[in-house]
Amino acid sequence: MKKGFRNYLLSGLVFIAILVIWKVAVMVLKTPTHILPPPEAILFRFIKLIETSVLQKSVLATFEEILYGFSSGAALGILFGYILAKLPVLEKALSPYILIMQTAPKISLAPLFVLWFGLGILSKVVLIALVTLFPVMINMILGVRSTEKNYYDLMKVLKAKGWQVMVKLELMNALPYLMTGLRVGLVLSITAAVIGEMMGSKAGLGFLLILGNEMYDITLLLTVIVVISLLSFFLDIAMKKLQEKLLFWHESTVR
Amino acid sequence: MSEIIVDVKNVRKIFTSGTKKERKEFSALEAVSFTVSKGEFVSLLGPSGCGKSTLLKIISGLLPASSGVVSISETGTKKAPPFGFVFQDSVLLPWRTAFDNALFPFEIMGSKEKADEARVKELFGLAKLNGFESSYPRQLSGGMKQRVSIVRALSYNPPILLMDEPFGALDAITRDNLNNVLLEIWESTRKTVLFVTHSISEAVYLSDRIIVMGTKPGRVIKEVPVNLPRPRNEDVKLTPEFYASVKELRELLK
């Protein structure tokens, strides 16, 4: 407990140090505001964006895309992952394509999706689902495959039905792998959402970035970048907490 | 002796490997026959590669025999098999507590009565696991995990207990302890036990009868009765009769 507090204190000091260096640098170098604004400008802009409720709307729009995209991508990843894990023939047949899709930068499809699915939420949801799908699917395959033969023997001795083997053994066994895949997928989701919005949209944090860029508004750009970082940070923490809650029995959570 | 519960007749097991053109056949078991009577403790003893584990898997239905018949006169219930199976590893589900692991068979069978839970509780006492009901497998030692898996195998009160080198992965001291725990459980439940091991002294200490198996191909060399008095404790290991049995088996396995 005490050690944890000290760690927080140290992290806080580092944060303050960065702000001080930033502030001093701006003052000494006399950089114009449109190149590098002082740190407090970010704070003031942040407050202003909240007062005009621009920020809330943008965060909400991005969050909504992530919610739909991530959950549908994760669901498909779990489903396809399980099917491929149970059908090695299918996996072998598809493996070169899966590999290509997995290694290809799916973000590069963003302009295409905007053309196909429009400037609205759908193009981002599809992009996010796609980037989430792969890490979830690959980890799901690994997780289901890693079920040891002994456990199948146990289920067979107990005359377990197929669905019982799936629900009570394979899915539980895959859970640690799946959670890793979901965490990777969530981080990728945020990137995909922002890039998708930058490619063409009418709302969201990526839209604000484009706005800031076109108006040479460095303060707006930096403020939005900070907000995006915070959003990623808190989503990852939420995911980590969920992981620890679900995997309390697993070696990875033993402290 | 009394009624025959497990009857193994002319069981052969041939494993094939290689491609379709060049099929290699390996005879794991060659015409194995023996019987086990009700309440008897029988060990299958032999070096690795003699097919003793394969034989146990055939008896339990985990593997099909290439030819021959295994008949088990106890039918069990429609939902539960007539035997409990203890693996070499404990095969506990890591996301369940020790007690929930022991109750796992009921969840698969979809029926659990109050008496069942009481019996599992009692078995926990017999296995000296009191106080560890809510521990997770990773918090338990190897010996304790194996005791939980024995309790699980007995949870639904099957008449037969099949054990596949259950203590093979444990250190010698833990192994001796678990042998005593197993004897105590056996004395109070009087299950029919078929026990696979490669330890001569373990087989002598536990069994009423030992089926000695040899390799290439896996086969029964001889059946050796053990006439040591019951109930047994560690002292029996110091008697000349115990030594005589161990010596006889050692000669057979040379």
Side-chain angles (χ1 to χ4, degrees):
Chain A
M1 207 53 205
K2 247 184 170 169
K3 207 164 189 180
F5 176 72
R6 209 173 65 186
N7 287 346
Y8 282 127
L9 196 72
L10 282 173
S11 309
L13 285 175
V14 169
F15 180 67
I16 291 167
I18 291 170
L19 290 184
V20 168
I21 292 169
W22 182 355
K23 177 72 187 167
V24 170
V26 169
M27 286 199 311
V28 172
L29 299 171
K30 295 196 175 63
T31 49
T33 316
H34 61 270
I35 300 296
L36 183 67
E40 71 269 16
I42 309 286
L43 182 68
F44 295 148
R45 181 57 72 87
F46 183 76
I47 293 166
K48 201 181 154 206
L49 283 173
I50 287 179
E51 277 172 354
T52 52
S53 64
V54 171
L55 195 64
Q56 292 93 313
K57 275 182 194 154
S58 304
V59 169
L60 208 68
T62 303
F63 188 75
E64 203 180 2
E65 293 160 6
I66 292 172
L67 185 72
Y68 295 143
F70 176 73
S71 45
S72 52
L76 288 174
I78 292 169
L79 182 71
F80 292 160
Y82 187 79
I83 293 172
L84 289 177
K86 297 305 282 182
L87 297 172
V89 183
L90 190 62
E91 201 223 344
K92 280 215 181 78
L94 295 179
S95 74
Y97 308 105
I98 292 174
L99 199 68
I100 290 169
M101 287 293 282
Q102 195 194 346
T103 47
K106 287 162 283 293
I107 297 289
S108 59
L109 292 168
L112 199 61
F113 285 175
V114 171
L115 287 175
W116 282 347
F117 304 114
L119 293 173
I121 185 169
L122 185 63
S123 54
K124 287 89 201 167
V125 169
V126 174
L127 185 67
I128 295 166
L130 191 70
V131 298
T132 308
L133 177 75
F134 284 91
V136 173
M137 185 175 80
I138 301 295
N139 279 283
M140 186 70 188
I141 295 173
L142 268 177
V144 173
R145 290 258 171 89
S146 73
T147 313
E148 282 174 48
K149 190 178 174 296
N150 273 341
Y151 286 87
Y152 285 109
D153 281 350
L154 172 73
M155 298 305 263
K156 201 173 169 190
V157 163
L158 295 174
K159 301 184 185 174
K161 294 169 191 73
W163 69 267
Q164 287 176 318
V165 176
M166 182 176 94
V167 174
K168 292 178 193 297
L169 177 61
E170 289 170 332
L171 293 187
M172 283 304 287
N173 189 76
L175 202 55
Y177 297 81
L178 183 61
M179 291 310 294
T180 308
L182 288 174
R183 260 181 95 178
V184 173
L186 189 59
V187 172
L188 292 176
S189 284
I190 299 158
T191 315
V194 172
I195 304 246
E197 286 166 354
M198 288 172 78
M199 285 299 153
S201 65
K202 289 171 277 185
L205 292 167
F207 176 72
L208 281 189
L209 280 180
I210 290 293
L211 212 64
N213 193 33
E214 283 173 355
M215 299 193 307
Y216 259 102
D217 188 346
I218 305 289
T219 315
L220 177 62
L221 276 175
L222 282 169
T223 311
V224 174
I225 289 167
V226 168
V227 170
I228 292 169
S229 307
L230 286 175
L231 183 66
S232 317
F233 181 70
F234 286 116
L235 282 177
D236 191 55
I237 283 192
M239 203 64 188
K240 201 178 161 194
K241 290 277 172 229
L242 181 69
Q243 188 174 20
E244 280 170 6
K245 210 169 165 58
L246 289 176
L247 300 179
F248 63 91
W249 48 270
H250 193 251
E251 285 90 344
S252 64
T253 36
V254 181
R255 270 156 283 242
Chain B
M1 258 178 83
S2 55
E3 70 174 291
I4 287 166
I5 271 202
V6 180
D7 191 358
V8 178
K9 266 190 199 135
N10 272 319
V11 165
R12 281 196 171 78
K13 180 70 189 176
I14 293 159
F15 287 112
T16 49
S17 61
T19 56
K20 266 190 178 164
K21 272 184 187 168
E22 285 176 70
R23 180 150 292 200
K24 281 177 194 155
E25 289 199 342
F26 165 71
S27 178
L29 287 170
E30 194 60 51
V32 171
S33 299
F34 68 92
T35 61
V36 184
S37 303
K38 194 182 175 89
E40 206 181 6
F41 196 122
V42 174
S43 287
L44 293 168
L45 174 69
S48 43
C50 72
K52 53 193 192 298
S53 287
T54 305
L55 184 55
L56 201 70
K57 286 199 168 130
I58 290 171
I59 292 168
S60 67
L62 283 174
L63 277 177
S66 301
S67 69
V69 194
V70 173
S71 42
I72 296 176
S73 59
E74 297 276 356
T75 48
T77 62
K78 199 161 73 180
K79 286 170 188 159
F83 50 81
F85 200 104
V86 180
F87 298 86
Q88 182 167 5
D89 303 313
S90 57
V91 199
L92 299 178
L93 301 170
W95 48 86
R96 287 172 166 260
T97 63
F99 200 66
D100 284 346
N101 261 293
L103 291 176
F104 187 59
F106 298 107
E107 201 176 304
I108 295 297
M109 289 156 202
S111 67
K112 187 180 76 188
E113 284 155 32
K114 270 224 168 104
D116 296 325
E117 208 159 316
R119 186 176 49 252
V120 171
K121 197 97 190 137
E122 201 185 307
L123 285 166
F124 257 72
L126 268 175
K128 301 191 172 56
L129 284 165
N130 282 331
F132 292 98
E133 286 86 349
S134 51
S135 299
Y136 284 88
R138 66 172 160 83
Q139 299 169 313
L140 302 175
S141 68
M144 289 165 89
K145 279 194 259 192
Q146 203 51 292
R147 277 182 271 162
V148 175
S149 95
I150 293 171
V151 171
R152 177 179 61 193
L154 292 171
S155 63
Y156 48 95
N157 210 10
I160 305 166
L161 189 58
L162 304 176
M163 307 181 85
D164 185 9
E165 294 190 45
F167 311 136
L170 303 174
D171 64 86
I173 298 163
T174 310
R175 187 178 192 143
D176 284 349
N177 281 334
L178 284 212
N179 281 342
N180 291 326
V181 168
L182 178 61
L183 274 184
E184 263 177 60
I185 292 176
W186 182 76
E187 293 286 352
S188 62
T189 57
R190 287 286 163 173
K191 301 287 177 196
T192 306
V193 181
L194 193 51
F195 187 93
V196 168
T197 181
H198 53 232
S199 160
I200 295 175
S201 61
E202 184 176 66
V204 174
Y205 185 49
L206 297 173
S207 319
D208 293 317
R209 193 152 51 90
I210 297 168
I211 293 163
V212 185
M213 296 183 69
T215 53
K216 287 177 189 170
R219 67 200 190 283
V220 174
I221 298 176
K222 201 183 174 187
E223 291 192 18
V224 178
V226 180
N227 295 316
L228 300 169
R230 297 232 188 230
R232 292 174 195 167
N233 60 39
E234 299 269 341
D235 294 339
V236 87
K237 291 185 185 170
L238 305 171
T239 62
E241 292 83 2
F242 187 85
Y243 278 120
S245 286
V246 169
K247 189 158 179 270
E248 183 189 355
L249 291 163
R250 197 167 283 155
E251 293 294 329
L252 278 170
L253 287 166
K254 258 180 191 165

